[in-house]
């Protein structure tokens, strides 16, 4: 009897009878066909094919041994050195009727529209998709509205992702109000797969637009919200921010997002994955405020600190840099004050600085702090050692005026090397030097030489980027290991999370 061993690189429907076949974990994934359910990652079919025969018992025993060996091999080592994926998920999504309303007017270039499709796909990847969990529809609009697919059209994640890839831009005007009205009257209707309004289900619309609408949005958006639809508004580039606020649900801080260009819209993915997530383990998903250690308890969590640190009265942060031998530190902030930061965000940057200052023990023998702001030029706000207490440093930070010009990061790094860490500006010989560079965009000058020299001189350099910051430049500034010394977030409102991580890293290094 001749046997053929055949590995079929496609998932099987969950629970389908396999006869002489078995699922093998660890192989590279491929998309299931429409209508199949794949609830716990990619699966392959390992199938033994043979002609019908009553004399195959011996070969059955051989094949059983072969299958067992292959299963152990794949489960232990994966394929091509790739470890198997962990089983289960850390959080699930609440059942939601989710409709994307995406602007494909002529101002959205084809390559930019592809970025929007990537963003939509990544949000979908984080959802529990199914007829009894989350359903997804997409409305594509310009001068007219096109229903790309309804809430009832695709019941699997794979089907949704394939449908998103096929969407083409319409490339005409910008009738945002018309698109929202379409969502109310059709996309969220029973006939298109929307479920009856209930506390057990969310109805959510995500509007992505890059321009000023050619029709009104205020009244139609109010009707949508009154109908129980939660609206998120994402603006790109030269979008009218007033329009976004008219569209979005309250609180506006949670429902309005802005990115400078389509090239960074993917940075918002995590926010929306979290927005739809019903957490089963807050510590495991990172959705907590603990500075160092998170301990899960049923339905909630509590915070703790590492050995040598003490939990503060807020129950979340830990007192680090508590003084003693070896705790001396010269720390200089290098802050981007270019016009792209914007005044309201510059105030958040000041809070970020003072958040880190709060974790230091400031004195002549312990931590000293200096501050430099840069844009088209460089301005020293105050040198190392000028202020002898946290209170005085924080007061000086709050008074710092916004420069609002260009982005000369290379020039600022050179100033840090030549002036900020000089003895004449308060630096102490033999004391560890730490630089924290904060930027929100691409440098307008050359940074490579200055970034390398700072690290060659032994300065420990941290790079923090927001919005349109270029991650390659952040890595170039950051000390080794780079992954521990550079940070990025799409939104200024989340930089406090980076501040918490920096507090701990600075003090452990010290």
């Amino acid at each position: 009897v001749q046997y053929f061993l055949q590995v079929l690189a496609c998932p099987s429907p969950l629970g389908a009878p396999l006869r002489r076949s078995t699922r093998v974990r660890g192989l590279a994934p491929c998309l299931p066909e429409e209508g199949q359910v794949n609830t716990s990652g990619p699966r392959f079919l390992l199938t033994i094919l043979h002609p019908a025969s009553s004399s195959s018992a011996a070969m059955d025993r051989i094949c059983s041994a072969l299958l067992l060996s292959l299963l152990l091999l794949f489960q232990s080592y994966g394929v091509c050195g790739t470890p198997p994926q962990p089983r289960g998920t850390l959080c699930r999504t609440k059942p939601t009727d989710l409709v994307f309303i995406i602007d494909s007017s002529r101002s959205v270039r084809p390559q930019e529209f592809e970025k929007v499709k990537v963003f939509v796909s990544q949000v979908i990847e984080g959802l529990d998709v199914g007829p009894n969990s989350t359903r997804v529809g997409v409305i594509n609009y310009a001068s007219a509205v096109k229903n790309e697919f309804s809430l009832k059209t695709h019941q699997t994640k794979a089907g949704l992702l394939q449908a998103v890839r096929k969407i083409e831009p319409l490339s005409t005007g910008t009738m945002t109000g018309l698109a929202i009205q379409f969502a109310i009257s059709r996309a969220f209707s029973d006939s298109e797969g929307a479920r009856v309004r209930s506390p057990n289900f969310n109805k959510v619309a995500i509007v992505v637009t890059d321009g000023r609408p050619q029709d009104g949005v205020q009244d139609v958006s109010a009707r949508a919200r009154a109908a129980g639809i939660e609206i998120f508004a994402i603006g790109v580039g030269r979008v009218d921010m007033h329009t976004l606020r008219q569209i979005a649900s309250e609180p506006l801080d949670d429902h309005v997002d802005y990115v400078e260009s389509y090239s960074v819209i993917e940075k918002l993915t995590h926010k929306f994955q979290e927005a739809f997530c019903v957490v089963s383990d807050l510590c495991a998903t990172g959705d907590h405020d603990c500075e160092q250690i998170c301990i899960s308890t049923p339905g909630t969590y509590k915070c703790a600190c590492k050995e040598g640190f003490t939990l503060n009265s807020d129950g979340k942060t830990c007192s680090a840099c508590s003084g003693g031998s070896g705790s001396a530190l010269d720390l200089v902030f290098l802050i981007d004050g270019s016009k792209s930061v914007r005044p309201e965000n510059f105030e958040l940057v000041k809070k970020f600085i003072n958040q880190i200052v709060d974790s230091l023990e400031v004195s002549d023998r312990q931590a000293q702090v200096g501050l430099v702001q840069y844009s088209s030029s460089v301005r020293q706000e105050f040198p190392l050692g000028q202020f002898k207490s946290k209170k005085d440093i924080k007061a000086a930070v709050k008074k710092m005026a916004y420069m609002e010009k260009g982005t000369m990061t290379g020039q600022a790094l050179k100033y840090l090397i030549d002036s900020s860490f000089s003895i004449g500006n308060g630096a102490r010989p033999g004391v560890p030097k730490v630089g924290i560079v904060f930027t929100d965009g691409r440098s307008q000058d050359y940074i490579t030489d200055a970034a390398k020299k700072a690290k060659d001189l032994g300065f420990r350099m941290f790079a923090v980027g927001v919005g349109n910051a270029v991650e390659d430049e952040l890595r170039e500034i950051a000390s080794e290991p780079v992954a521990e010394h550079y940070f990025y977030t799409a939104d200024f409102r989340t930089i406090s999370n980076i501040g918490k991580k920096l507090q701990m890293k600075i003090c452990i290094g010290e």
Side-chain angles (χ1 to χ4, degrees):
V1 179
Q2 186 175 11
Y3 280 71
F4 299 91
L5 181 65
Q6 184 179 48
V7 177
L8 303 177
C10 59
S12 68
L14 185 63
L18 299 180
R19 294 186 181 177
R20 299 177 180 273
S21 59
T22 182
R23 298 188 203 122
V24 179
R25 292 180 181 273
L27 293 170
C30 69
L31 290 174
E33 295 297 323
E34 179 65 26
Q36 292 183 343
V37 179
N38 184 10
T39 59
S40 59
R43 288 178 169 84
F44 274 56
L45 295 181
L46 181 64
T47 307
I48 306 293
L49 305 177
H50 65 91
S53 172
S54 60
S55 60
S56 61
M59 290 305 295
D60 279 348
R61 288 193 294 273
I62 294 172
C63 289
S64 296
L66 173 61
L67 288 172
L68 178 60
S69 300
L70 286 170
L71 281 168
L72 292 172
L73 175 64
F74 287 136
Q75 185 148 351
S76 299
Y77 298 104
V79 174
C80 302
T82 304
Q85 296 300 312
R87 302 184 185 187
T89 56
L90 295 174
C91 76
R92 58 187 177 81
T93 53
K94 182 177 180 180
T96 302
D97 290 343
L98 171 62
V99 174
F100 290 92
I101 304 174
I102 54 177
D103 178 357
S104 66
S105 55
R106 64 175 63 91
S107 60
V108 184
R109 293 189 291 270
Q111 64 270 29
E112 293 175 334
F113 192 69
E114 290 302 310
K115 294 287 187 182
V116 177
K117 288 160 62 176
V118 171
F119 163 71
V120 171
S121 296
Q122 289 179 343
V123 174
I124 291 172
E125 286 280 13
L127 302 175
D128 291 332
V129 174
N132 297 319
S133 49
T134 297
R135 303 176 185 180
V136 180
V138 173
I139 295 171
N140 183 13
Y141 79 93
S143 294
V145 179
K146 181 180 180 184
N147 190 30
E148 294 290 349
F149 52 85
S150 302
L151 292 167
K152 66 180 181 180
T153 307
H154 300 288
Q155 298 185 354
T156 67
K157 193 177 296 186
L160 287 170
L161 296 174
Q162 290 169 354
V164 170
R165 283 197 293 270
K166 294 175 183 177
I167 298 174
E168 296 293 335
L170 302 176
S171 301
T172 51
T174 311
M175 301 293 283
T176 310
L178 183 65
I180 296 172
Q181 179 58 51
F182 183 92
I184 300 171
S185 58
R186 182 170 172 185
F188 284 105
S189 67
D190 296 346
S191 62
E192 294 299 321
R195 287 164 282 196
V196 177
R197 186 174 177 181
S198 162
N200 298 323
F201 297 98
N202 292 334
K203 291 185 181 296
V204 177
I206 300 177
V207 181
V208 182
T209 181
D210 81 329
R212 187 184 297 273
Q214 296 169 332
D215 57 356
V217 298
Q218 186 170 6
D219 292 342
V220 69
S221 298
R223 290 198 298 273
R225 296 192 297 268
I229 301 170
E230 182 181 9
I231 308 179
F232 292 87
I234 300 175
V236 184
R238 292 173 293 179
V239 71
D240 176 40
M241 294 300 294
H242 180 64
T243 297
L244 298 183
R245 295 186 182 97
Q246 288 181 329
I247 293 171
S249 296
E250 295 284 352
L252 294 178
D253 283 348
D254 294 337
H255 290 84
V256 175
D257 288 282
Y258 172 80
V259 290
E260 295 285 346
S261 67
Y262 283 101
S263 63
V264 294
I265 193 171
E266 293 173 46
K267 302 296 183 182
L268 295 175
T269 301
H270 184 63
K271 170 193 168 169
F272 285 97
Q273 288 176 340
E274 284 188 341
F276 299 127
C277 185
V278 179
V279 178
S280 58
D281 185 344
L282 290 165
C283 292
T285 59
D287 191 13
H288 60 81
D289 296 323
C290 297
E291 182 180 8
Q292 292 189 2
I293 298 172
C294 178
I295 302 171
S296 287
T297 57
T300 183
Y301 64 93
K302 62 180 181 180
C303 302
C305 298
K306 297 180 180 180
E307 186 176 356
F309 294 81
T310 305
L311 189 66
N312 293 328
S313 58
D314 61 7
K316 298 174 181 178
T317 60
C318 300
S319 58
C321 307
S322 56
S325 60
S327 62
L329 177 73
D330 285 346
L331 170 63
V332 175
F333 291 93
L334 208 58
I335 301 301
D336 182 354
S338 58
K339 59 186 174 184
S340 58
V341 173
R342 300 183 180 180
E344 64 272 20
N345 290 330
F346 194 69
E347 293 303 310
L348 294 176
V349 175
K350 292 181 185 180
K351 291 181 180 179
F352 164 81
I353 297 169
N354 283 340
Q355 178 186 2
I356 295 179
V357 171
D358 267 331
S359 71
L360 305 172
E361 287 297 332
V362 176
S363 73
D364 288 335
R365 294 187 177 182
Q366 295 173 308
Q368 293 190 153
V369 178
L371 177 60
V372 173
Q373 184 184 173
Y374 70 95
S375 58
S376 296
S377 58
V378 180
R379 183 174 75 202
Q380 179 171 258
E381 301 293 344
F382 55 84
L384 289 164
Q386 178 175 331
F387 300 110
K388 309 298 183 183
S389 70
K390 281 192 271 193
K391 181 181 178 181
D392 291 342
I393 292 173
K394 292 169 70 176
V397 171
K398 288 179 181 178
K399 293 177 182 176
M400 177 172 55
Y402 177 34
M403 294 176 74
E404 199 172 357
K405 291 184 181 178
T407 310
M408 303 294 281
T409 313
Q411 185 178 338
L413 286 167
K414 189 173 186 304
Y415 184 91
L416 184 80
I417 296 165
D418 296 340
S419 300
S420 296
F421 285 133
S422 66
I423 295 175
N425 269 315
R428 296 165 292 181
V431 172
K433 307 290 188 291
V434 174
I436 299 178
V437 182
F438 189 102
T439 182
D440 87 320
R442 183 183 294 275
S443 176
Q444 295 172 338
D445 62 353
Y446 188 63
I447 70 166
T448 301
D449 290 345
K452 181 177 184 301
K453 185 174 181 181
K455 290 178 284 189
D456 288 345
L457 289 170
F459 304 158
R460 190 177 182 205
M461 301 296 294
F462 291 92
V464 180
V466 182
N468 283 334
V470 179
E471 294 195 45
D472 286 345
E473 290 186 355
L474 299 178
R475 292 189 185 96
E476 196 166 6
I477 293 168
S479 293
E480 294 287 346
V482 171
E484 295 182 11
H485 289 81
Y486 97 95
F487 305 89
Y488 176 84
T489 179
D491 191 343
F492 275 91
R493 291 171 295 181
T494 62
I495 59 176
S496 62
N497 296 332
I498 292 176
K500 292 174 186 176
K501 296 175 184 177
L502 270 173
Q503 285 174 330
M504 188 170 66
K505 288 183 179 294
I506 290 168
C507 297
I508 289 174
E510 175 188 329

